[in-house]
Amino acid sequence: MADAPGRKATAASSVRDLPDRGRVLCHGFIESVTYMPASQVAAFVAIVIDHDVPAPPSRFLAAGAKGAPAAASSLPAAPVSNERVRPGAQRQRPAGPKERLRVVWLGRRRIPGVDAGTELRLEGMVTIRDGLPTIFNPRYEILSRQEEQ
């Protein structure tokens, strides 16, 4: 279904405020990028986060390091689901706030200027794929960074 002519999103929303489906205009920072090997179909994938989201704790902290868990037994066990998922079925996003947005450019192996730490404004259709909000082939604008003065 085509969009109504002249109808555009006006204000860029944060990743946290994105709907599960629909046309969006959002703003965030590239957290990481994934380059597909030459043996796979060309796709460039980036993970976008809000600028105010704190960095997740490292999974690789040593047991005695500052901020590391005291013992592995003190960590809560992750719930295990026995529910089977049909192949090709869309997986539902877990309840709770959305912290990341996956952006996929199909047919591209690299996009100049889109690297970790880059600030972007994105416009496109958002959907949930594998539990993450995802936008395929969005319009994007690389927002300038002021150089250190």
Side-chain angles (χ1 to χ4, degrees):
M1 183 171 133
D3 292 334
R7 183 178 167 193
K8 290 194 173 202
T10 55
S13 60
S14 66
V15 172
R16 192 175 296 125
D17 298 331
L18 291 177
D20 286 343
R21 300 184 84 179
R23 180 160 296 279
V24 296
L25 177 64
C26 68
H27 170 264
F29 290 87
I30 301 290
E31 179 183 53
S32 63
V33 295
T34 303
Y35 300 100
M36 295 297 170
S39 62
Q40 291 185 2
V41 175
F44 183 73
V45 181
I47 302 296
V48 178
I49 60 171
D50 288 329
H51 68 282
D52 59 347
V53 174
S58 176
R59 297 181 302 191
F60 304 108
L61 287 175
K66 183 178 179 181
S73 61
S74 66
L75 296 175
V80 177
S81 173
N82 293 332
E83 186 178 325
R84 294 189 63 131
V85 177
R86 291 181 292 123
Q90 181 176 347
R91 294 186 183 103
Q92 296 296 318
R93 174 178 56 85
K98 299 171 232 156
E99 296 179 359
R100 290 177 170 75
L101 168 69
R102 179 188 302 127
V103 182
V104 181
W105 284 275
L106 299 171
R108 303 284 303 263
R109 295 236 179 248
R110 186 171 175 339
I111 297 180
V114 176
D115 294 314
T118 303
E119 186 177 7
L120 290 178
R121 183 176 304 140
L122 301 160
E123 182 180 357
M125 297 294 287
V126 68
T127 186
I128 302 295
R129 292 286 180 226
D130 296 327
L132 274 178
T134 304
I135 299 177
F136 290 95
N137 295 330
R139 291 182 178 152
Y140 66 97
E141 179 182 355
I142 298 173
L143 302 175
S144 64
R145 286 184 267 178
Q146 292 186 359
E147 299 295 325
E148 292 181 24
Q149 297 175 354

